[in-house]
């Protein structure tokens, strides 16, 4: 069993139809989120305890949420009580050579030309993150449950209004220019400066159920790949290889060189939104609320049964609304158990191919 046990489910009512409709599709449509849906209740944050920063145990897994003491809510790794209570900081990033993403607890990669990243920091800090980019409708849907201090560089009036209607704390460039540094590659920002700049709503909720020693990623149909290739329509192919020494997935082609405990390929719907109605400029924006197919790749199976490979499992995801965290289920409709550590989520359109090797 995972530390979540049986996840509680409750009904969520859409109390602000205007805001939720806008978040579901922003200025290009009128899709609404269902008014009454089922969701997992976000768990409480870790209780205070003793420790000394984020620690890594055998295979790079570190202390899990099942170990006594404080844990980082977005990684499940052991941290000091002070670190566990820090707020989340989110930065919207775009560009062919992003920096700072390797220090993030969570990265949401939106596969829409150009590719965008929402990098969320909580247990670790980064002195330079960027290039900072404009906000899109996806941001409010994805970040509202985390209530982070949020960094971005502009956006349409409608996009910014929708973002500010969620539970994020707006640390955008327009109102906090002194926090940002300019350069030939664009604006960059320090997560430490962002966290110190304004008010905080406290730490984010835990997003994933982390497995205890002896637990598996999934209850059925696990694979043991050594590499994963993700090919989204119209985007460069990404190559991820499993490093058995560190028990991490490493991106080796098609994106920034990062190392994560969990790689999630989440198939989502995309909606056309207007960047400028006057000039007819549009972009594709991921719909983070809803449900769909997912494939999760994580660390080695209990006892090392995967040989030199990690573990993988196909299943489904569901996020009923803004107030809900995303549930990830395996082929048997059981909750998946993530490896403690950073997680990278690829928000990919239908038609994306995920090819495995070695498993």
């Amino acid at each position: 069993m995972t530390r979540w046990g049986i996840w509680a489910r409750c009904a969520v009512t859409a109390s602000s139809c205007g805001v939720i409709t806008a978040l579901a599709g922003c200025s290009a449509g009128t899709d609404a989120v269902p008014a009454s849906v089922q969701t997992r209740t976000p768990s409480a944050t870790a209780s205070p305890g003793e420790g000394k920063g984020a620690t890594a145990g055998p295979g790079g897994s570190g202390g899990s949420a099942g170990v006594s003491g404080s844990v980082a809510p977005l990684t499940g790794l052991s941290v000091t009580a002070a670190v566990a209570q820090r707020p989340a900081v989110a930065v919207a990033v775009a560009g062919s050579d992003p920096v700072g993403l390797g220090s993030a607890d969570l990265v949401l990669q939106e596969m829409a030309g150009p590719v965008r990243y929402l990098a969320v920091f909580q247990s670790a800090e980064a002195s330079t993150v960027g290039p900072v980019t404009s906000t899109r409708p996806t941001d409010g849907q994805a970040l509202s449950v985390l209530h982070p201090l949020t960094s971005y560089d502009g956006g349409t009036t409608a996009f910014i209004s929708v973002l500010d209607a969620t539970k994020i704390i707006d640390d955008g460039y327009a109102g906090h220019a002194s926090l940002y540094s300019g350069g030939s590659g664009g604006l960059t920002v320090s997560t430490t400066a962002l966290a110190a700049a304004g008010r905080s709503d406290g730490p984010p909720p835990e997003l994933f159920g982390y497995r205890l020693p002896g637990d598996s990623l999934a209850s059925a149909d696990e694979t043991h790949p050594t590499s994963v290739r993700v090919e989204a329509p119209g985007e460069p192919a990404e190559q991820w290889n499993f490093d058995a020494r560190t028990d991490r997935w490493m991106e080796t082609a098609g994106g920034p060189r990062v190392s994560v405990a969990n790689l999630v390929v989440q198939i989502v719907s995309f909606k056309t939104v207007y960047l400028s109605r006057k000039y007819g400029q549009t972009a594709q924006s991921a719909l983070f609320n809803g449900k769909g197919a997912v494939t999760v790749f994580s660390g080695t199976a209990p006892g090392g049964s995967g040989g030199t490979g990690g573990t993988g499992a196909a299943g489904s995801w569901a996020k009923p609304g803004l107030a809900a965290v995303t549930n990830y289920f395996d082929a048997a409709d059981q909750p998946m158990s993530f490896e403690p550590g950073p997680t990278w989520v690829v928000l990919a359109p239908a038609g994306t191919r995920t090819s495995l090797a070695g498993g």
Side-chain angles (χ1 to χ4, degrees):
M1 292 288 291
T2 69
R3 69 179 297 272
W4 292 110
I6 299 175
W7 287 347
R9 294 178 175 271
C10 61
V12 175
T13 301
S15 59
S16 178
C17 295
V19 170
I20 292 180
T21 297
L23 283 166
C26 202
S27 60
T30 57
D31 292 356
V33 175
S36 181
V37 286
Q38 297 297 308
T39 181
R40 173 166 62 87
T41 303
S43 75
T45 53
S47 58
E50 297 299 325
K52 189 175 182 180
T55 58
S61 297
S64 75
V67 178
S68 60
S70 296
V71 297
L74 300 184
T75 67
L77 296 175
S78 298
V79 293
T80 64
V83 169
Q85 293 302 310
R86 289 198 306 215
V89 172
V91 185
V93 175
S96 59
D97 190 23
V99 296
L101 303 189
S103 299
D105 290 354
L106 170 68
V107 174
L108 303 173
Q109 179 183 2
E110 188 179 12
M111 297 293 278
V115 173
R116 297 176 72 250
Y117 306 91
L118 281 176
V120 184
F121 303 81
Q122 196 275 333
S123 68
E125 299 171 322
S127 59
T128 305
V129 185
V132 181
T133 192
S134 59
T135 187
R136 293 281 179 85
T138 304
D139 301 355
Q141 299 173 41
L143 298 177
S144 181
V145 72
L146 299 175
H147 45 86
L149 298 101
T150 301
S151 165
Y152 64 96
D153 179 22
T156 71
T157 301
F159 292 175
I160 295 173
S161 295
V162 168
L163 182 68
D164 287 342
T166 68
K167 294 183 178 181
I168 66 98
I169 298 169
D170 192 327
D171 274 352
Y173 176 77
H176 301 81
S178 63
L179 301 178
Y180 293 76
S181 299
S184 59
L187 292 176
T188 61
V189 70
S190 160
T191 62
T192 304
L194 287 169
R199 65 183 179 86
S200 164
D201 287 342
E206 297 171 359
L207 295 185
F208 310 110
Y210 295 105
R211 59 179 177 266
L212 301 177
D215 286 342
S216 299
L217 167 66
S219 65
D221 299 338
E222 277 193 351
T223 58
H224 304 287
T226 57
S227 66
V228 174
R229 183 177 177 86
V230 181
E231 299 175 272
E235 301 294 339
E238 295 186 358
Q239 182 70 33
W240 294 79
N241 294 334
F242 184 71
D243 184 349
R245 181 181 60 85
T246 60
D247 207 30
R248 294 289 176 92
W249 287 93
M250 304 180 68
E251 186 166 14
T252 58
R257 302 300 183 262
V258 293
S259 175
V260 297
N262 307 284
L263 169 64
V264 179
V265 181
Q266 186 169 333
I267 305 302
V268 302
S269 297
F270 280 76
K271 191 174 188 69
T272 300
V273 295
Y274 278 96
L275 303 179
S276 171
R277 287 186 178 275
K278 179 178 179 180
Y279 296 105
Q281 295 176 338
T282 61
Q284 294 297 303
S285 182
L287 299 181
F288 197 64
N289 297 328
K291 58 184 178 180
V294 71
T295 308
V296 178
F297 302 95
S298 194
T300 54
S305 61
T308 59
T311 54
S316 61
W317 67 272
K319 185 182 189 299
L322 292 178
V325 300
T326 304
N327 293 312
Y328 295 97
F329 300 104
D330 63 20
D333 204 29
Q334 296 300 307
M336 293 199 205
S337 301
F338 284 41
E339 180 80 7
T343 296
W344 189 282
V345 180
V346 180
L347 301 176
T352 296
R353 295 180 56 190
T354 303
S355 306
L356 317 182

